[in-house]
Structure formats: C-alpha cells, structure tokens
Amino acid sequence: NIGGVCLEDKLFPKTNSFIAVGGGQPLADEMEFALKLKACKEAQTDPDFCVVARVEAFIAGWGIDEALRRAELYADYGADAILMH
C-alpha cells in the first residue's frame, strides 16, 4: 500500500533549488496547486493516506512571507502536512 504523496509547488521542468535566479525561481500558481491538493483529498479512499504539500517559495527566493502564505493556503485546501523547503 502507498501511505502518502508529497507534491511540490514548482513548475516543470524543475530547476535545482540552489541555482540562483534573479527575482526567484518560477513557482506554480498557488491557487491551481491548492486545488490539486483539494482534488487529492476528495479522491482519497484510505483515511490514513497522507497528502504533503512541499512549499518551495522560501528556497526559491520568494521570501519567508510568501512561503508562509502559501503554506497556510495549502493547509486550508486539505494538505495533511507542510514540508517547508
């Protein structure tokens, strides 16, 4: 059985988080990502299945305030845990 999944809010193709990009690396639209989390939770059949949202904003250069804002949004949309990167 699969116990959970971890989804991150970076755009494809992913760039290594340690590569500096002026203005911050591109991230997924936060509402689109939040709705993906919500869809995961709505499709969940095992109550023990865990959906983890990995927030890339801080390490991608967007700042702590943006990272915390995204984390709160993702929790509101059903993430069982937040992985702050």
Side-chain angles (χ1 to χ4, degrees):
N1 291 341
I2 298 174
V5 65
C6 182
L7 305 171
E8 63 183 80
D9 63 353
K10 280 199 108 169
L11 291 179
F12 182 83
K14 183 180 174 181
T15 304
N16 184 293
S17 300
F18 297 110
I19 297 174
V21 176
Q25 292 185 6
L27 298 176
D29 176 80
E30 66 269 18
M31 186 51 69
E32 181 180 339
F33 187 76
L35 289 171
K36 288 179 182 180
L37 296 169
K38 183 179 182 213
C40 285
K41 294 305 290 182
E42 288 174 350
Q44 179 176 333
T45 58
D46 181 343
D48 295 328
F49 187 82
C50 186
V51 176
V52 179
R54 178 170 154 163
V55 179
E56 294 285 318
F58 185 62
I59 196 155
W62 290 57
I64 191 67
D65 290 337
E66 177 67 11
L68 293 173
R69 189 184 67 74
R70 284 174 175 258
E72 186 172 343
L73 177 67
Y74 301 161
D76 289 345
Y77 275 75
D80 296 305
I82 302 293
L83 173 59
M84 192 65 74
H85 188 230

